[in-house]
């Protein structure tokens, strides 16, 4: 996990552009992750301060997602393979590290989750082709049936 502090930010405030120190760190981590071989999930987070751009159309959801994608790009520049990231997501302010102070700098962060094979397969099954769809009605299939549960 890489996060902001009260003295130093990872990204420019209200921006998905990382500061130069963080850019270099992510490039170095790209080289480290290149040797890991396991799939990675990148998760971007914001604090609870509402973010709005000049048009009012963009929010903390956009900002956290764009920060995760910016981190991915820099990891690739550092040598990580394109297929190493299984998922890149933004959580906005939904998972603060300090729930008692959701506006704290530490809540603005990027998390790197290195998955083992079993967890990677679970993510792929969750978002990929279902193993056994069940027809509910003509044109509508149910997917993601829990193992051991009978079909409706």
């Amino acid at each position: 996990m890489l996060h902001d502090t009260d003295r130093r930010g990872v990204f420019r405030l209200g921006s998905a552009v990382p500061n130069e120190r963080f850019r270099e760190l992510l490039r170095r981590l790209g080289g480290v992750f290149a040797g890991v071989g396991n799939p990675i999930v990148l998760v971007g987070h914001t604090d609870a301060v509402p973010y709005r751009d000049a048009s009012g159309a963009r929010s903390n959801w956009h900002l956290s997602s764009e920060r995760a994608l910016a981190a991915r790009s820099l990891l690739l520049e550092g040598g990580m393979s394109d297929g190493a990231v299984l998922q890149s997501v933004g959580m906005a302010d939904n998972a603060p590290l300090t729930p008692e102070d959701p506006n704290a700098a530490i809540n603005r962060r990027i998390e790197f989750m290195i998955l083992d094979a079993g967890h990677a397969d679970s993510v792929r099954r969750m978002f990929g082709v279902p193993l056994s769809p069940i027809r509910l009605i003509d044109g509508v299939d149910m997917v993601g049936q829990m193992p051991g549960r009978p079909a409706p």
Side-chain angles (χ1 to χ4, degrees), residues 41-49 59-69 87-97 102 107-113 127:
V41 173
L42 295 175
V43 185
H45 298 268
T46 66
D47 59 24
V49 175
S59 68
N60 285 27
W61 285 103
H62 296 93
L63 187 58
S64 62
S65 297
E66 290 168 358
R67 287 177 172 180
L69 288 171
Q87 190 175 41
S88 175
V89 297
M91 293 282 297
D93 62 336
N94 285 298
L97 290 176
N107 294 312
R108 299 186 298 265
R109 66 193 188 278
I110 298 290
E111 292 179 307
F112 310 88
M113 295 178 8
F127 297 106

Side-chain angles (χ1 to χ4, degrees), residues 30-31 33-35 37-38 40 72 75-86:
F33 289 153
N38 292 51
I40 298 169
R72 180 186 178 277
L75 292 168
L76 293 174
E77 284 180 23
M80 186 180 76
S81 71
D82 188 50
V85 175
L86 179 61

Side-chain angles (χ1 to χ4, degrees), residues 11-150:
F11 290 93
R12 296 180 187 139
L13 198 56
S15 168
V17 177
N19 67 42
E20 190 52 44
R21 184 174 178 207
F22 185 53
R23 294 173 68 81
E24 183 56 33
L25 177 59
L26 283 170
R27 287 184 191 110
R28 288 182 185 186
L29 284 173
V32 172
F33 289 153
V36 170
N38 292 51
I40 298 169
V41 173
L42 295 175
V43 185
H45 298 268
T46 66
D47 59 24
V49 175
Y51 167 74
R52 296 280 186 257
D53 67 352
S55 72
R58 296 170 39 78
S59 68
N60 285 27
W61 285 103
H62 296 93
L63 187 58
S64 62
S65 297
E66 290 168 358
R67 287 177 172 180
L69 288 171
R72 180 186 178 277
S73 294
L74 290 163
L75 292 168
L76 293 174
E77 284 180 23
M80 186 180 76
S81 71
D82 188 50
V85 175
L86 179 61
Q87 190 175 41
S88 175
V89 297
M91 293 282 297
D93 62 336
N94 285 298
L97 290 176
T98 57
E100 69 284 357
D101 186 7
N103 293 344
I106 195 170
N107 294 312
R108 299 186 298 265
R109 66 193 188 278
I110 298 290
E111 292 179 307
F112 310 88
M113 295 178 8
I114 300 172
L115 305 177
D116 62 24
H119 286 100
D121 286 344
S122 293
V123 171
R124 287 185 185 102
R125 280 194 311 274
M126 189 181 324
F127 297 106
V129 177
L131 299 177
S132 55
I134 297 171
R135 178 65 35 110
L136 294 176
I137 60 173
D138 190 35
V140 178
D141 292 341
M142 178 182 81
V143 296
Q145 179 183 355
M146 296 295 291
R149 289 201 177 168

